[in-house]
C-alpha cells in the first residue's frame, strides 16, 4: 500500500495592526484558506512585527485578538492549519538573536522594502528592530522548518534574505532546517475607496467586522471613473475600483457582463452601480460576520485555538533551537 504523500510545510504570518479589512480577506486570508488542504500550514499573528512602528495608541494584544477572530471567521480551520501568535513561541526571540549574528548589516541596508519605507514614511531615525525585521521574518520561517513561503508577484526580495541566511547557516553548520522556497501565489490587491491600495493608514477600508450600514456608506463614497460624471456618459469599468469589487462579489458571469456593457454604453448610473455592489458585498460578508460575532461571544474558544497552535508549533521550535544552539556551541 502506498504511504500517503507528505504535505510540504507552508509558513506565513500577518501583522496585527487592527481588525482585518477586505483587502486582507481577499489578498491574504482567502489564499491561505485555499492552501489548507494541500499543505501543512502554519499561520501566525506576527505581533512582535507590529512593534516595528509602535505608537502610543497601539494595543497589540487587542489587535491580535481582532485578527484571530477575522482569521477564524474567514475560513482558517484549526483542524487543518496550525494557527498561533508569534509571541507565544518563547523560542523565537532567542532564535532571532542567534540568526542576527549571521546576518550581515549590508544585506539589511540593501533591503528594498526598508529603503522604500524609510523614504515614504519619512522616518528620520529608523530603529534597530525595523532594520532587522527581515531577520525576525527569517526566524519565523526557519523556526518551524518551513519549506514554502507564499509570496505574490514582485515580492521575491522579501524572502531572498531568508534563503541567503538559511544557506549560510547550512554551509557553516550542516542542515539545521530546510532552505525554504517560494510558493508563488495570486494575492489580489484590493483598491480602497480613494482608488489607492486598501490600507488602514489611508482610511479607505471596509473592515470584515463593519456593519452592513457602514459597508454601504463606504461603497457609496468610492472613487469611480472620472470620465463618467453623469449617467449617459460612457464609462471605463476597467479603470473603476467599483467594477474591481464587482468582479469579486458578483458571482454570476452574465450579470457581470451586463454591468460592464451598461457601464460602457452609459446606460448605467454610478449610484445604482454602487447600491448593487453594496448589496452583493454585504451578502458575501454576512456569513463571515455572523461567525465572527459568534466567536466574539466565546473568546475562550479563540484563545484555545491559539494555545493549541502554539503548543504544536513549539514542539518543532524547541528542537530547531536546541539544534541551532548546539551548532553554534552555546550548548
Ligand atoms: S457605472 Fe459602475 S463600473 Fe461604471 S464607472 Fe460607474 S461605478 Fe464604475
Amino acid at each position: 500500500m502506498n504511504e500517503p504523500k507528505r504535505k510540504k510545510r507552508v509558513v506565513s504570518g500577518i501583522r496585527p495592526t487592527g481588525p482585518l479589512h477586505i483587502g486582507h480577506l481577499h489578498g491574504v486570508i482567502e489564499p491561505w484558506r485555499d492552501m489548507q488542504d494541500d499543505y501543512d500550514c502554519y499561520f501566525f499573528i506576527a505581533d512582535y512585527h507590529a512593534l516595528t512602528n509602535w505608537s502610543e495608541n497601539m494595543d497589540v494584544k487587542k489587535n491580535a485578538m481582532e485578527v484571530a477572530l477575522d482569521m477564524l471567521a474567514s475560513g482558517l480551520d484549526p483542524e487543518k492549519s496550525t494557527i498561533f501568535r508569534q509571541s507565544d513561541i518563547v523560542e523565537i526571540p532567542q532564535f532571532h538573536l542567534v540568526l542576527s549574528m549571521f546576518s550581515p548589516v549590508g544585506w539589511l541596508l540593501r533591503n528594498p522594502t526598508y529603503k522604500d519605507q524609510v523614504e515614504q514614511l519619512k522616518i528620520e531615525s529608523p530603529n534597530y528592530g525595523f532594520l532587522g525585521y527581515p531577520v525576525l521574518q527569517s526566524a519565523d520561517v526557519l523556526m518551524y522548518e518551513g519549506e514554502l513561503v507564499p509570496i505574490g508577484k514582485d515580492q521575491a526580495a522579501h524572502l531572498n534574505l531568508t534563503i541567503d541566511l538559511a544557506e549560510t547557516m547550512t554551509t557553516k553548520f550542516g542542515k539545521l532546517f530546510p532552505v525554504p522556497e517560494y510558493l508563488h501565489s495570486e494575492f489580489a490587491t484590493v483598491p480602497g475607496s480613494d482608488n489607492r491600495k486598501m490600507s488602514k493608514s489611508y482610511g479607505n477600508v471596509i473592515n470584515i467586522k463593519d456593519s452592513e450600514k457602514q459597508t454601504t456608506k463606504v461603497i457609496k463614497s468610492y472613487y469611480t471613473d472620472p470620465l463618467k460624471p453623469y449617467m449617459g456618459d460612457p464609462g471605463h469599468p476597467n479603470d473603476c475600483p467599483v467594477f474591481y469589487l464587482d468582479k469579486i462579489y458578483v458571482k454570476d458571469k452574465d450579470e457581470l457582463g451586463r454591468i460592464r456593457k451598461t457601464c460602457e454604453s452609459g446606460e448605467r448610473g454610478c449610484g445604482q452601480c454602487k447600491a448593487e455592489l453594496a448589496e452583493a458585498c454585504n451578502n458575501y460578508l454576512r456569513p463571515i460576520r455572523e461567525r465572527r460575532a459568534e466567536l466574539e461571544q466565546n473568546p475562550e474558544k479563540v484563545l484555545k485555538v491559539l494555545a493549541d497552535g502554539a503548543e504544536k508549533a513549539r514542539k518543532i521550535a524547541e528542537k530547531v533551537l536546541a539544534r541551532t544552539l548546539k551548532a553554534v556551541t552555546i550548548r
Side-chain angles (χ1 to χ4, degrees):
M1 209 168 70
N2 288 340
E3 287 278 311
K5 205 170 158 223
R6 188 185 74 84
K7 288 178 182 172
K8 285 203 169 189
R9 183 164 300 147
V10 165
V11 182
S12 198
I14 188 162
R15 269 171 21 132
T17 51
L20 300 183
H21 52 66
I22 59 168
H24 297 120
L25 175 67
H26 305 302
V28 181
I29 305 297
E30 289 185 337
W32 283 1
R33 179 200 63 196
D34 297 342
M35 289 170 195
Q36 294 183 113
D37 289 325
D38 299 327
Y39 300 100
D40 176 21
C41 295
Y42 280 63
F43 297 132
F44 62 93
I45 300 167
D47 47 1
Y48 283 133
H49 283 284
L51 300 182
T52 49
N53 53 349
W54 189 85
S55 70
E56 298 285 336
N57 50 9
M58 198 183 258
D59 185 337
V60 182
K61 188 175 170 191
K62 183 165 167 261
N63 289 346
M65 188 64 176
E66 296 275 14
V67 171
L69 286 167
D70 286 326
M71 286 165 84
L72 296 174
S74 305
L76 294 192
D77 181 352
E79 297 289 323
K80 297 179 180 174
S81 299
T82 306
I83 301 166
F84 59 101
R85 227 172 1 196
Q86 182 189 29
S87 63
D88 285 337
I89 311 303
V90 296
E91 290 76 11
I92 270 283
Q94 207 177 341
F95 189 53
H96 168 235
L97 179 71
V98 175
L99 292 184
S100 72
M101 304 303 177
F102 298 89
S103 306
V105 175
W107 288 4
L108 301 172
L109 289 170
R110 278 197 299 275
N111 167 19
T113 314
Y114 172 76
K115 285 204 266 184
D116 284 359
Q117 295 258 312
V118 169
E119 276 166 30
Q120 269 180 30
L121 305 175
K122 299 193 175 36
I123 302 173
E124 280 178 14
S125 172
N127 63 48
Y128 166 62
F130 184 36
L131 175 67
Y133 86 87
V135 184
L136 183 54
Q137 273 183 337
S138 304
D140 289 327
V141 174
L142 306 177
M143 181 95 277
Y144 316 107
E145 302 181 315
E147 296 168 286
L148 295 169
V149 180
I151 55 162
K153 257 192 275 160
D154 310 325
Q155 290 180 328
H158 293 218
L159 190 59
N160 286 346
L161 189 132
T162 304
I163 294 174
D164 289 347
L165 188 50
E167 281 173 347
T168 301
M169 298 294 281
T170 305
T171 307
K172 276 190 196 308
F173 304 112
K175 189 176 170 186
L176 301 172
F177 29 69
V179 175
E181 292 174 19
Y182 312 108
L183 175 62
H184 287 284
S185 311
E186 280 297 319
F187 292 120
T189 304
V190 177
S193 58
D194 55 1
N195 204 27
R196 291 188 286 177
K197 183 184 172 191
M198 188 170 281
S199 162
K200 189 181 160 196
S201 49
Y202 296 148
N204 62 1
V205 307
I206 297 170
N207 287 318
I208 295 173
K209 71 180 255 187
D210 283 349
S211 66
E212 297 199 359
K213 207 168 148 196
Q214 174 66 9
T215 303
T216 304
K217 193 171 157 203
V218 177
I219 291 178
K220 268 192 187 162
S221 74
Y222 252 75
Y223 170 100
T224 54
D225 175 10
L227 298 175
K228 179 175 167 47
Y230 303 111
M231 186 157 168
D233 294 331
H236 306 83
N238 287 344
D239 299 332
C240 178
V242 172
F243 189 67
Y244 185 99
L245 294 186
D246 278 331
K247 286 191 272 183
I248 296 174
Y249 296 117
V250 178
K251 294 295 172 201
D252 180 343
K253 283 219 165 70
D254 293 343
E255 175 60 9
L256 198 61
R258 187 187 68 79
I259 295 173
R260 177 189 285 282
K261 234 169 131 187
T262 51
C263 170
E264 285 169 345
S265 69
E267 280 163 79
R268 190 169 180 79
C270 295
Q272 176 63 18
C273 194
K274 288 174 175 179
E276 287 176 17
L277 169 64
E279 197 185 333
C281 177
N282 280 325
N283 286 344
Y284 186 97
L285 295 176
R286 196 169 298 127
I288 299 175
R289 286 169 168 162
E290 284 170 2
R291 280 196 293 275
R292 194 187 195 283
E294 209 181 299
L295 286 165
E296 215 170 350
Q297 295 305 311
N298 296 288
E300 69 287 351
K301 259 196 197 172
V302 180
L303 293 172
K304 169 101 173 58
V305 168
L306 297 177
D308 289 351
E311 194 185 327
K312 188 172 165 206
R314 281 198 64 202
K315 288 206 173 103
I316 307 169
E318 277 169 10
K319 283 189 206 153
V320 171
L321 180 64
R323 219 183 282 148
T324 306
L325 291 178
K326 190 158 184 269
V328 298
T329 70
I330 289 261
R331 291 279 184 269

